[in-house]
Amino acid sequence: MTRHYPDRVRNVERLAAEGDLPGLAEELLKTAITNNNQWSHDGEKVLATVRALPRDQRLRVTDSLVELSDPYHASSPTRLNALTLVELIGEDLPGDRLAAERAARLEEFGGMYCVQATHAAAALVEAERAAGRTPPAMAVAALRRTLIVLYWEDGASLKKAVDALTDPPLNPGEAWSDQALADLADRDEAWHALVRHALTAKSAQPNAKWEKAARALVEPLGADTVRDTLVAWLALVGRPRTRPFANTAHAYCVAPNDEYDPFNANAIRGLAWTLALLPPHPEAARALGALVETSLRKVQGLGPRNPKVANAGVVALARAEGEASLAELSRLATRVTYKTTLKMIGAGLEARARALGLSRAEVEEMAVPVYGLTEVGRSVCRLGDCEAEVTVTGSKAALRWRNAAGKQVKAAPAAVKRDHADELKELKAAVKDIDKMLSAQAERLDRQFLARREWTYPAWRERFLDHPLVGTLARRLLWTVDGTPCGYADGDLRTLADEPVTAGGTVSLWHPVGHPPEEVVAWRDWLERHGITQPFKQAHREVYLLTDAERTTGTYSNRFAAHVLRQHQFNSLAAVRGWRNKLRLCVDDEYPPAVRELPRWGLRAEYWIEGVGGDGWLDDLTDAGSYLRVRTDQVRFYPIDAPENFAHASGGEYRMWLRDGREPVDALPLAEIPELVLSEVLRDVDLFVGVASVGNDPTWQDGGPAGRFREYWTAYGFGELGPGAETRRDVVARLLPRLAIGERCSVEGRFLHVRGELHTYKIHLGSGNVLRTPADQYVCIVPAASGSAAVGGTGYLPFEGDRTLAVVLSKAMMLAKDDRITDPTILSQL
């Protein structure tokens, strides 16, 4: 609504000059409707005219306003406009007009995310305080948020009113702030001062003055008490709001019930910084790491929930002393995909490395904690007469108990819970930390193939093979010691012939590129013979050699072109694998391709993509306007310092952006790319397609929106196998003789054939989609949201991490006993 209305300004001036006070009141109400109670610009002229009237005339105007309002509906627009005007022009007049309406309006504010009419809100607050009452806490919270989210030129009056409201110290409505407010109610002023100081954390990093003041506030409270309290508060950050906003239509943010309260967010940042000033402690590091991950959790239509809070957690971890903080930074480096935060994590690790005189890679290797493990994958400790054992099996840790009689029990004995509560809490936390760190370290090791890392034998044994935690991964991988491939089995490093390797000079991670196929197969047999399940594909790793088609195209590969991928899934997976990509919006803008920089090789790999749909196809876009799907094109390689390529979001030719007089640089011939680099980059791209393709969505048998992807879905979901799926086919063929359902199954071409009691089925080994023979009728079976390679009844699996393998095997086991299926959705298709 416009705030310029000169006719109404003239009308008000005329009525005031004529002394027509009832008419003036009526004109004021009309103006309030016109300006939606926003009294800036011409509104200020209207208020100034009325405020200049003698006191007795203003008193008559306010009385007329009350009379003109609807006395039977306290929340009617006219009544609320009258209330606002009474407060704006009659703040110095006797009496407390419309007090009930004012209280009701302030209560209504409490359910809002933001308040639009800032002048009116300020007047209500001042009037309530003048009447000797404090506005409701939730109303104060809404007004504080308004100052942050909607602070414009007419917000000065609201700021003045709200700045005078110091209670409550935090905005209620969030789980963590409610707990903090409950705790603060029983604590002295020193605690309130600490929280007030935390609220001043509005910069990217704390300066020396801020830290000095924080240390002074912490000292009288005690570092241990402060740490325990702050850790408990931060553990609740990100929980669902305790008082959700009912009406979010005019919230001025994307997801008010999922985002952090912006007022409280500053306090969270300050509390995180405060933790970094305390003596190092694993609980503090753990809380900060969890805060980073929680704050980067995606909210639909918004993206990361609160990157500023996440960055504050990283700043705190980088500044905190101790191995636990460094370990959290190292773990987050493999888990975080949000670019700004990831860059800060990298800077923190680089700073630690410089301070120690080491490389970043060495710091990350040395920073991995043991979490109390006293040998590789195991620790035993006594708590009173009971015994607790932590063991690591595969990618999971478990906590087992023996009671005073030495009998194994399912849970911690009562005596342990009673007499050793703190130790029990730490043990349970360690098990959770081990699981998270194992995942992070497996991802880090999986990226080492292109890092060209080598270690001296003693350092490698200390950091990898004999490390209580990392050793559980390293002992399931293959290594090269002085050029000799070996693996760990029966207590020693052993060659392919099972001869022990007891010493060496240089160690590196083994990769199948460059080794003859018979040697690779022999190592697969060796792993199987020793019952070793690798944490990721290594001996079974796909090798992508240059094809005749790629020799013909010369500088680009079309091997993974013309696929349709779910954009957001692709974007997340690309970030995890070390690629740089931007989500494409349906806008008139240009974007670079997905890029992986390989500084050790002086190369940059590009995967060209474009948005799918958009104009006229709203079901191709998110609410925020980003494409749901992208179409893939070429893979190319350039020198790492070559100018970037760009193309329109919706597609078209990629062109090199030449600045500062730079010359264009041609893509490098694929034949000149080192075999290892080519193989690993194409493996990443194959992974993107295999995971994010719409072709492996079992619910898309209709071809997706308007059936536009039916042809692609059919071609991908039942077409030729890619290298990753071919590896899966070989693994399934080797596993069949071991399976209880093996005699009912056979691998033929692209499919695993399964003979059930009712029908025979074909499971595609690339997508996991199912056909019922003989008519090849599609059977839609939607797997569980989370998948694991450890499927009940499969026994030994050679590697972890292939969810499609788990899906294929689980579907085979179910369909082999199709007479026992109870799911009505599946039964209706049989």
Side-chain angles (χ1 to χ4, degrees):
M1 186 74 68
T2 179
R3 300 179 194 175
H4 297 283
Y5 28 86
D7 289 344
R8 295 208 177 276
V9 173
R10 287 191 289 270
N11 287 343
V12 168
E13 291 174 344
R14 177 179 57 78
L15 292 168
E18 293 174 354
D20 184 357
L21 302 182
L24 177 59
E26 185 174 351
E27 186 66 21
L28 288 172
L29 284 174
K30 291 178 181 178
T31 305
I33 295 171
T34 301
N35 67 12
N36 197 27
N37 248 328
Q38 299 281 7
W39 295 93
S40 58
H41 304 302
D42 283 351
E44 289 284 3
K45 299 177 183 177
V46 169
L47 294 178
T49 299
V50 180
R51 286 169 177 162
L53 292 173
R55 199 161 184 263
D56 62 323
Q57 291 188 22
R58 279 192 293 123
L59 187 61
R60 289 170 58 191
V61 172
T62 57
D63 289 341
S64 295
L65 286 169
V66 173
E67 292 173 4
L68 287 169
S69 65
D70 184 353
Y72 301 105
H73 298 90
S75 60
S76 71
T78 304
R79 193 76 164 170
L80 295 177
N81 287 335
L83 166 64
T84 301
L85 285 164
V86 165
E87 308 301 356
L88 287 171
I89 66 175
E91 58 184 5
D92 61 334
L93 299 178
D96 191 8
R97 295 169 180 78
L98 301 177
E101 287 79 4
R102 183 170 65 245
R105 183 59 170 163
L106 288 170
E107 285 289 344
E108 187 180 344
F109 285 171
M112 301 177 181
Y113 185 83
C114 285
V115 178
Q116 282 187 305
T118 53
H119 263 89
L124 296 181
V125 169
E126 295 290 7
E128 191 72 356
R129 292 182 64 235
R133 292 184 293 271
T134 302
M138 290 297 290
V140 174
L143 297 174
R144 286 170 172 169
R145 288 189 294 269
T146 302
L147 285 175
I148 296 172
V149 177
L150 291 180
Y151 186 67
W152 42 46
E153 68 273 13
D154 60 347
S157 60
L158 181 62
K159 185 177 189 308
K160 178 182 177 182
V162 174
D163 283 351
L165 301 172
T166 58
D167 190 55
L170 296 169
N171 282 357
E174 294 183 313
W176 87 268
S177 62
D178 287 353
Q179 182 61 55
L181 290 171
D183 292 342
L184 290 172
D186 299 324
R187 302 195 182 183
D188 58 25
E189 169 57 24
W191 272 99
H192 289 256
L194 180 62
V195 171
R196 286 197 298 271
H197 184 61
L199 282 164
T200 65
K202 299 179 182 179
S203 57
Q205 298 195 30
N207 56 31
K209 181 179 179 181
W210 193 97
E211 287 192 354
K212 180 179 179 181
R215 292 181 191 277
L217 291 167
V218 166
E219 186 176 358
L221 299 174
D224 290 346
T225 301
V226 171
R227 182 190 62 247
D228 292 345
T229 300
L230 300 193
V231 165
W233 290 354
L234 294 182
L236 299 175
V237 171
R239 298 271 183 93
R241 281 190 62 86
T242 56
R243 306 185 204 185
F245 302 108
N247 183 1
T248 61
H250 302 289
Y252 292 94
C253 65
V254 175
N257 285 317
D258 296 315
E259 299 179 36
Y260 293 170
D261 186 303
F263 182 82
N264 288 346
N266 288 331
I268 300 172
R269 296 167 72 190
L271 298 176
W273 293 349
T274 302
L275 271 182
L277 306 177
L278 307 178
H281 194 281
E283 284 194 6
R286 191 178 297 132
L288 290 170
L291 178 67
V292 173
E293 291 185 290
T294 299
S295 300
L296 292 180
R297 198 160 292 151
K298 297 290 182 65
V299 173
Q300 186 174 4
L302 173 68
R305 182 180 283 173
N306 197 304
K308 287 185 177 180
V309 170
N311 294 345
V314 171
V315 167
L317 286 169
R319 289 175 173 245
E321 299 177 356
E323 294 181 358
S325 297
L326 184 55
E328 277 297 312
L329 273 182
S330 178
R331 183 183 69 82
L332 290 171
T334 68
R335 310 305 298 169
V336 168
T337 59
Y338 187 68
K339 294 182 182 65
T340 303
T341 306
L342 186 59
K343 184 177 180 180
M344 293 182 67
I345 292 170
L349 288 170
E350 293 286 357
R352 289 288 188 96
R354 287 194 299 271
L356 295 171
L358 301 170
S359 69
R360 172 177 165 176
E362 288 177 303
V363 166
E364 290 189 64
E365 292 164 4
M366 297 168 65
V368 183
V370 300
Y371 298 110
L373 298 173
T374 54
E375 55 185 283
V376 176
R378 185 174 182 269
S379 69
V380 177
C381 66
R382 294 198 65 82
L383 299 178
D385 295 330
C386 303
E387 185 178 271
E389 179 186 29
V390 177
T391 57
V392 179
T393 304
S395 58
K396 293 291 182 182
L399 178 58
R400 298 183 177 88
W401 294 93
R402 292 187 182 276
N403 60 20
K407 181 181 178 181
Q408 187 166 325
V409 291
K410 293 183 178 180
V416 172
K417 296 178 181 179
R418 182 186 64 243
D419 301 331
H420 303 277
D422 290 341
E423 293 95 327
L424 175 61
K425 178 182 177 182
E426 188 58 34
L427 275 172
K428 290 182 176 180
V431 169
K432 293 181 180 179
D433 288 345
I434 287 172
D435 287 350
K436 291 191 291 185
M437 185 58 79
L438 279 172
S439 175
Q441 291 303 312
E443 184 62 44
R444 185 169 67 85
L445 282 166
D446 196 13
R447 292 189 194 177
Q448 292 302 308
F449 293 109
L450 286 176
R452 306 179 77 178
R453 287 277 287 149
E454 291 185 343
W455 301 268
T456 63
Y457 185 81
W460 171 76
R461 287 207 67 126
E462 178 186 358
R463 299 176 195 174
F464 291 91
L465 198 69
D466 297 331
H467 189 279
L469 180 69
V470 182
T472 65
L473 302 171
R475 292 185 177 190
R476 295 188 284 139
L477 294 172
L478 300 179
W479 303 86
T480 300
V481 178
D482 292 339
T484 300
C486 54
Y488 189 89
D490 301 326
D492 281 307
L493 275 176
R494 298 184 182 276
T495 65
L496 192 55
D498 278 337
E499 296 175 354
V501 176
T502 57
T506 303
V507 183
S508 59
L509 198 58
W510 181 88
H511 192 284
V513 160
H515 296 273
E518 57 270 19
E519 180 186 344
V520 176
V521 172
W523 273 114
R524 294 177 182 178
D525 292 338
W526 186 91
L527 292 168
E528 186 174 337
R529 185 169 71 249
H530 289 287
I532 297 172
T533 297
Q534 296 201 289
F536 48 81
K537 287 183 182 179
Q538 186 189 25
H540 292 79
R541 203 172 189 86
E542 300 81 11
V543 174
Y544 299 77
L545 301 176
L546 201 63
T547 65
D548 290 339
E550 288 161 346
R551 290 188 179 92
T552 300
T553 57
T555 58
Y556 62 89
S557 169
N558 272 329
R559 200 184 307 196
F560 300 103
H563 288 280
V564 180
L565 310 185
R566 293 177 286 268
Q567 178 178 207
H568 293 77
Q569 190 173 19
F570 162 70
N571 186 64
S572 297
L573 187 59
V576 168
R577 296 298 300 166
W579 290 67
R580 174 166 46 86
N581 182 58
K582 287 186 176 181
L583 281 174
R584 277 149 175 76
L585 298 172
C586 184
V587 294
D588 186 14
D589 198 2
E590 297 203 339
Y591 291 81
V595 168
R596 182 169 182 182
E597 294 181 341
L598 306 165
R600 288 187 174 272
W601 303 86
L603 297 172
R604 182 181 81 222
E606 296 186 353
Y607 191 24
W608 290 6
I609 58 175
E610 62 184 37
V612 175
D615 294 340
W617 296 100
L618 293 179
D619 49 9
D620 285 331
L621 307 176
T622 67
D623 292 341
S626 61
Y627 288 104
L628 287 171
R629 289 165 286 276
V630 292
R631 183 175 286 108
T632 67
D633 200 350
Q634 303 172 6
V635 175
R636 293 189 175 218
F637 291 86
Y638 290 87
I640 194 168
D641 57 353
E644 284 192 293
N645 287 307
F646 284 83
H648 196 273
S650 60
E653 181 183 359
Y654 270 92
R655 298 178 302 277
M656 194 163 275
W657 187 13
L658 302 176
R659 293 177 292 177
D660 303 324
R662 300 186 67 182
E663 295 294 326
V665 177
D666 293 332
L668 296 169
L670 296 181
E672 296 180 6
I673 305 302
E675 281 188 331
L676 177 62
V677 174
L678 179 68
S679 184
E680 284 298 296
V681 167
L682 291 180
R683 183 178 184 273
D684 275 353
V685 174
D686 193 4
L687 179 68
F688 302 155
V689 172
V691 173
S693 171
V694 300
N696 59 24
D697 187 336
T699 66
W700 269 41
Q701 68 268 28
D702 60 354
R708 288 179 289 116
F709 303 99
R710 184 179 292 109
E711 184 177 345
Y712 170 75
W713 184 86
T714 302
Y716 180 87
F718 299 103
E720 295 299 323
L721 301 182
E726 288 177 351
T727 298
R728 189 177 304 122
R729 178 185 60 196
D730 295 341
V731 170
V732 171
R734 291 175 67 97
L735 288 175
L736 285 184
R738 301 167 176 263
L739 301 180
I741 63 168
E743 62 181 16
R744 289 179 165 271
C745 302
S746 64
V747 174
E748 300 176 23
R750 307 188 298 270
F751 296 93
L752 171 62
H753 292 250
V754 182
R755 176 169 51 84
E757 296 293 338
L758 305 176
H759 303 282
T760 301
Y761 309 89
K762 298 192 304 186
I763 306 175
H764 190 260
L765 290 161
S767 64
N769 290 335
V770 179
L771 297 174
R772 196 185 83 191
T773 61
D776 282 353
Q777 176 184 335
Y778 178 70
V779 179
C780 179
I781 301 175
V782 181
S786 61
S788 169
V791 181
T794 60
Y796 167 78
L797 290 179
F799 49 80
E800 299 172 353
D802 186 345
R803 184 173 185 270
T804 302
L805 174 61
V807 168
V808 167
L809 292 175
S810 63
K811 286 183 178 181
M813 292 176 187
M814 178 179 63
L815 293 171
K817 301 176 181 178
D818 53 2
D819 57 333
R820 302 182 188 179
I821 294 174
T822 58
D823 187 309
T825 303
I826 300 175
L827 282 175
S828 66
Q829 304 174 72
L830 302 183

